[in-house]
Amino acid sequence: MQLRALRYEIDPAMQQEYENMPDIAIATGAAGGIGLACAKLFAERGLTVVLGDIDQARLAKAVEGLKGAGHSVVAHVSDLTKRTGCESLVKAAAKFGDIKALVHSAGDYTVATIAELDDRAWDRMLDVNLRSTMHLNRGCADQMAKGGGGRIVNIASIDAYRAMPKLAHYAAAKAGVVSLTRSFAEEYGAAGVLVNAIAPGAVATERARSEPWFEKYKEMPPPRRYAEPEDIAEVAWFLASPANRCITGETVIASSGTFMR
């Protein structure tokens, strides 16, 4: 069976139109945290960025700030737990130009022991963290294949690699992200699409700073500092940029040393 993405060909008559379009990046979870940091960095470095998030008010504020700084950005509100929400985001981004990069940062977590987990909590974690990865990666990879290639970066977590009491459902979903990343890299590599993931540890987002566990990270091994969202964005930029010519199917652990223990 042929890879679906490889059957796409660009009509020579449309080639000039493609060349005149701007390069597009999609950043999800972009109303704040890692997603917003990635959107800002990618826009600063010359891409038109489509910011996706479900929180309309926070997203509007983020886009307003980026536009005020002179960046080329677009907001798109969608529920990425639904296939239709993922498809609408990809379709909206493709209208502006050739999708060259996706940073999929949208995610969520809740706290519950395995004994406490019900189907609703389990399904929610898989929908927001794993189902969205499947549909967004496929939609963007297909578009990238049409345009000759691109880069996908999924935000996983070091929790995918370790036992996580009260977060088993979240850790399982992020382990799925790591696995899906490999599979997409294998299936779309011949179409010029490189697919990688980043597994951060604690990142100093607004939500993380409010969590009771956050302070314990002061006891981390060197360099004894939290990763800021901007630190993760720099890793994402390298993986998504033309400078990355051979890394694919990998998950970069960016945990400020905590994964050494």
Side-chain angles (χ1 to χ4, degrees):
M1 183 176 70
Q2 282 188 311
L3 175 63
R4 181 164 59 102
L6 296 183
R7 297 205 301 267
Y8 291 124
E9 295 182 0
I10 299 176
D11 184 341
M14 297 176 62
Q15 187 63 43
Q16 188 63 41
E17 180 182 351
Y18 272 97
E19 290 176 353
N20 290 336
M21 286 180 173
D23 286 342
I24 303 299
I26 298 175
T28 69
I34 294 172
L36 178 55
C38 289
K40 181 175 184 291
L41 183 64
F42 282 41
E44 287 174 348
R45 295 182 179 174
L47 281 78
T48 294
V49 184
V50 178
L51 286 74
D53 205 283
I54 196 171
D55 190 328
Q56 184 172 2
R58 290 181 66 224
L59 183 61
K61 183 177 180 181
V63 168
E64 181 182 5
L66 292 175
K67 284 185 175 180
H71 300 310
S72 178
V73 294
V74 180
H76 186 83
V77 178
S78 60
D79 181 358
L80 300 182
T81 66
K82 305 289 194 301
R83 178 173 181 166
T84 53
C86 296
E87 291 173 346
S88 71
L89 175 57
V90 175
K91 184 177 180 180
K95 289 180 180 179
F96 293 100
D98 204 4
I99 299 174
K100 288 299 184 184
L102 164 68
V103 181
H104 181 34
S105 179
D108 195 12
Y109 63 88
T110 57
V111 176
T113 65
I114 291 174
E116 294 168 341
L117 271 177
D118 57 22
D119 287 348
R120 182 177 180 180
W122 175 262
D123 290 344
R124 168 67 183 172
M125 283 300 96
L126 265 65
D127 284 347
V128 71
N129 293 297
L130 189 56
R131 181 188 297 272
S132 64
T133 302
M134 172 62 185
H135 291 311
L136 270 178
N137 277 218
R138 184 165 61 184
C140 284
D142 285 349
Q143 289 292 326
M144 290 171 181
K146 291 179 183 180
R151 306 288 187 268
I152 293 174
V153 182
N154 297 311
I155 304 299
S157 169
I158 58 167
D159 295 344
Y161 297 97
R162 58 186 184 178
M164 289 303 299
K166 299 185 178 181
L167 286 170
H169 50 329
Y170 172 77
K174 289 300 188 180
V177 171
V178 171
S179 180
L180 264 183
T181 295
R182 294 193 192 104
S183 295
F184 269 93
E186 174 71 21
E187 292 200 18
Y188 283 87
V193 182
L194 304 187
V195 188
N196 293 286
I198 303 171
V203 179
T205 62
E206 183 177 331
R207 179 180 181 182
R209 289 180 183 278
S210 69
E211 296 284 4
W213 49 259
F214 194 71
E215 288 301 309
K216 79 175 184 179
Y217 276 79
K218 289 180 178 178
E219 303 169 5
M220 294 186 301
R224 291 191 174 85
R225 64 178 293 272
Y226 304 110
E228 297 292 337
E230 292 75 15
D231 297 322
I232 306 303
E234 287 285 0
V235 180
W237 170 257
F238 170 74
L239 292 173
S241 75
N244 174 22
R245 296 182 293 177
C246 64
I247 300 173
T248 193
E250 304 288 358
T251 297
V252 177
I253 295 174
S255 69
S256 296
T258 57
F259 196 57
M260 293 190 292
R261 293 184 172 180

